Amino acid sequence: KSYVMYGIARMMLAEGAVDQVLVLCPSNTIETGLLGKFRLLSADKTLKDLLPSGSKILNPRIINASNTIEKGDICVENIHATYVKTKSAIEDSLAGKGERTLVLNDEAHHLMSPTDAALKKWKEFLIDPKYSFKFIVNVSGTCYIGDDYFSDVIHRFALRDSIEQKFVKSIRYVAEDSSGGEDEKFQKIYD
């Protein structure tokens, strides 16, 4: 998912469809991981060479919202930075600029059925007329609630497909009712 989000962000900036990108996620852990991946990808000359020579924005800064978000930036932040009483640059940087901002929501299934009341603010932020976001892409590996799949899925890449295409290792687990103690179960997993 993170590679797809990065690709969408870079293409939208290169084409000049947007001026900046805001990537939102539900936790600091995910934010840290995305920042690391995006910075590595941004430094990849091979990927940069794939962009058209006439790209509008060729070298985006990869930042979080402790910095002012400027034209050409990809800002990765957890959703809590959008709340009014936090010290982030999101409101000052993006108010009134929603039509030229791409918002990518990682783990977007939290938006559809938030169990945490605070996450309901995530959706409120996205529809806030102060920003008027035009480009919003939701990304999730869990595109369903209960037995109901989301109706606006563009592409579904099943776990089975990712295993068969060698993107993910085959999953081998020790059943809960396996014989032996914890050390023996760990040895079975390791083997």
Side-chain angles (χ1 to χ4, degrees):
K1 293 181 316 185
S2 52
Y3 299 111
V4 170
M5 289 189 299
Y6 179 79
I8 293 170
R10 286 299 298 265
M11 287 186 274
M12 291 288 280
L13 288 168
E15 290 296 320
V18 297
D19 292 333
Q20 58 274 327
V21 178
L22 176 62
V23 180
L24 293 173
C25 57
S27 72
N28 288 329
T29 302
I30 295 172
E31 174 189 343
T32 301
L34 287 173
L35 279 167
K37 285 179 189 174
F38 282 26
R39 286 179 177 142
L40 281 174
L41 291 169
S42 186
D44 188 323
K45 184 181 176 341
T46 305
L47 291 177
K48 193 179 295 183
D49 289 346
L50 291 171
L51 294 170
S53 59
S55 294
K56 305 287 188 246
I57 298 171
L58 195 55
N59 297 306
R61 254 187 346 159
I62 310 299
I63 62 168
N64 66 17
S66 62
N67 300 287
T68 299
I69 305 165
E70 299 174 356
K71 184 175 181 175
D73 288 347
I74 298 175
C75 176
V76 180
E77 192 55 78
N78 78 68
I79 188 58
H80 300 90
T82 66
Y83 302 163
V84 177
K85 295 184 182 196
T86 61
K87 292 183 180 183
S88 84
I90 290 176
E91 184 174 1
D92 291 340
S93 298
L94 299 180
K97 296 181 182 176
E99 291 201 10
R100 300 284 306 157
T101 301
L102 167 63
V103 180
L104 296 166
N105 296 303
D106 192 18
E107 301 294 337
H109 56 277
H110 291 288
L111 287 164
M112 308 310 165
S113 178
T115 53
D116 181 349
L119 288 175
K120 290 182 182 180
K121 292 181 180 181
W122 190 342
K123 193 164 189 172
E124 290 172 13
F125 169 75
L126 295 173
I127 62 174
D128 189 331
K130 172 180 15 181
Y131 301 102
S132 299
F133 293 119
K134 179 179 177 182
F135 301 104
I136 299 175
V137 177
N138 295 325
V139 181
S140 177
T142 314
C143 296
Y144 56 85
I145 300 170
D147 292 332
D148 298 322
Y149 279 86
F150 300 160
S151 61
D152 58 353
V153 174
I154 295 172
H155 181 73
R156 183 174 181 267
F157 191 60
L159 179 59
R160 173 60 38 213
D161 295 334
S162 66
I163 291 170
E164 289 173 2
Q165 293 180 31
K166 308 262 189 242
F167 287 107
V168 178
K169 293 187 247 178
S170 293
I171 299 170
R172 294 183 181 167
Y173 62 93
V174 177
E176 287 182 35
D177 61 352
S178 292
S179 62
E182 193 170 298
D183 288 338
E184 186 176 337
K185 290 178 186 178
F186 281 128
Q187 187 59 47
K188 289 178 185 178
I189 291 169
Y190 180 77
D191 291 342

